[in-house]
Amino acid sequence: MQTAEQTTSSTVQKAWNKRPLIISGPCSAETEEQVLQTAQRLAATGKIDMLRAGIWKPRTKPGGFEGVGTKGLPWLQQAKKLTGLPVTVEVATAKQLEDALHFDIDVLWIGARTTVNPFSVQELADALRGVDVPVLIKNPVNPDLELWTGALERVARAGIKQIGLIHRGFSSYGNTEYRNAPMWTLAIEMKRRNPEVMMINDPSHICGRRDILIDVMQRAIDLDYDGLMIESHIDPDNAWSDAKQQVTPEVLKEMLDKIIWRKEDVNSPEYHAALEKLRQQINHLDDELMQLLSHRMKIAEKIGEYKKSNNITILQTNRWNEIIERAVAKGEKAGLSKEFITKYFDAVHMESINHQKKILDA
Ligand code: PEP
Ligand code: MN
């Protein structure tokens, strides 16, 4: 068991602070041979900063492969020795956490199915007290920022100083393109609330398939994520878990080479001047939109007054359907998606109803 006096080694610190931080390894540790080969082939790409492997696997249904358990931890120790790369595993219970630290696992991560459960997160937080180990926290399975924040706070209160977040997407009924819908705005909002905490993207669990991995990786880099965690297996088709989403270390290298690594900031004054001008235009348009919306609400209020004096309900479904149909048709011609138009008008409609309700209640 690691003690409070022991600090994490400088290689771990170096990896933790590297941007972009690239973590890779198999979904699950299966055999010693598979772990060591994967680790060595990943290290040979020269593009990986940290190794990952699942030792205890949370599965939706019983009867599947639930991980090799503690016997896989020495394989990771060996992988670390062979490659010089730090290693990270998922822990879900205090016992798993103790076992992982006993076998010198450098970084721990809390999985999506654990983040949803405050009892489990608190159990881990209690076990982390007095321990100096970096912890990564995956978003909860369901799109709930408060649960993600709660986990972050519990781990921070346990005295853990180095905490990172992993965005692995959210499960949503009826979603087909992704295994877990990215819902980018949620991760962006989490980053906005916690600007000092690193945010890593996990394209593997978002996609659930290989063909769109690179698009999600590029998207994350374009959104200025701090790093990526991607699953890699020496024989992806025969992986014991998540076979469809894993790629070989060599394919991963090709993908990392293809990505365009954009910087958040560049130093050229021309670039800044051009950007500033465009940003001012956006601010100007946003101001105008706000004025127009305010004007629209004033008219809605007038309608509210007529409705009040004639004793008519606020919501008139036919009129609303007519507005939406008209807007979608016009919007699509103007290059705006149906999804956006519908969401936008729903919000405007709600605001109008609130304004009218105030009139009717007055
Ligand atoms: C994993 O990383 O293999 C895993 C189980 O991920 P998640 O917790 O995001 O489902
Ligand atoms: Mn997996």
Side-chain angles (χ1 to χ4, degrees), residues 20 75 95 118 132 159 173 180 195 251 253 277 313 319 357:
W75 309 341
K95 174 75 171 72
D132 183 14
Y173 186 71
N180 292 290
V251 168
K253 177 182 186 300
K277 217 168 143 192
T313 57
R319 166 67 182 146
K357 196 172 169 322

Side-chain angles (χ1 to χ4, degrees), residues 62-78:
F65 168 61
E66 297 194 314
V68 291
T70 314
K71 78 163 194 247
L73 291 169
W75 309 341
L76 289 174
Q77 256 179 332
Q78 188 60 17

Side-chain angles (χ1 to χ4, degrees), residues 336-351:
L336 301 170
S337 71
K338 184 175 175 178
E339 194 201 355
F340 168 71
I341 293 286
T342 317
K343 269 195 197 149
Y344 167 76
F345 272 89
D346 275 344
V348 168
H349 189 215
M350 273 318 294
E351 185 71 8

Side-chain angles (χ1 to χ4, degrees), residues 26-28 52 57 109 138 179 202 204-205 231 241-242 245-246:
C27 176
S28 302
R52 64 149 278 156
K57 300 303 297 179
W109 94 75
K138 286 199 171 197
R179 178 175 173 196
D202 171 349
S204 305
H205 291 90
E231 289 183 343
S241 61
D242 289 353
Q245 71 197 30
Q246 302 201 64

